Structure formats: C-alpha cells, structure tokens
Amino acid sequence: MGRLVLNRRVGEQVRLTLRRGASVDALLDQLEDEGVWITVAEVEGGRARLIIDAADELLVLRDELVERYEQSD
C-alpha cells in the first residue's frame, strides 16, 4: 500500500485511477481487503492536508497533473 500526503484548496481535486500495467485482479483483492483510506490531517487557511493510503495499483494524481499523465501515452 502506498501513501501520498498533499494539500488541497476548496475546489481542487484528486483522481484515483488504475496505474498503467497494473493488475485489475490484484487491485480488486487489495481493495476488498484494505480499501482506500483518506485522512484529513490538518485544515488551515482554506487548505486541507490529506493523507491517502491506497493500493500500489492505483495512481493518485492531483487534478493539475491529470492532463500531463494522459498526454504521456
């Protein structure tokens, strides 16, 4: 399971998608066993610090990186 810690402002997003080359079966097994955990660690000045614990087969992207990831195909 991987961990990402990031800050988000109101209206900003995070996208979880299947990582390229990842096994759907492995992802489903890990989701069934562990799920995805999102923890709000801190809120200050209109920003929330999020901790996302998710299966290694999931790719977690800040919204501003989604387009760059999709263009790298």
Side-chain angles (χ1 to χ4, degrees):
M1 183 168 275
R3 174 174 275 193
L4 176 67
V5 179
L6 67 146
N7 292 317
R8 295 284 81 191
R9 291 187 178 117
V10 173
E12 292 181 329
Q13 297 178 317
V14 177
R15 178 180 176 191
L16 287 87
T17 188
L18 187 65
R19 186 178 297 277
R20 288 186 190 126
S23 165
V24 173
D25 291 331
L27 172 60
L28 291 175
D29 287 342
Q30 193 164 6
L31 286 174
E32 185 176 51
D33 291 343
E34 301 174 24
V36 174
W37 290 87
I38 301 174
T39 305
V40 178
E42 180 181 355
V43 177
E44 182 179 319
R47 296 176 66 108
R49 178 176 292 271
L50 304 176
I51 302 171
I52 302 171
D53 291 297
D56 292 331
E57 288 80 11
L58 278 178
L59 178 65
V60 182
L61 290 173
R62 301 185 320 260
D63 58 347
E64 61 269 22
L65 298 179
V66 170
E67 187 176 327
R68 185 183 317 168
Y69 175 78
E70 289 173 346
Q71 290 176 353
S72 68
D73 283 334

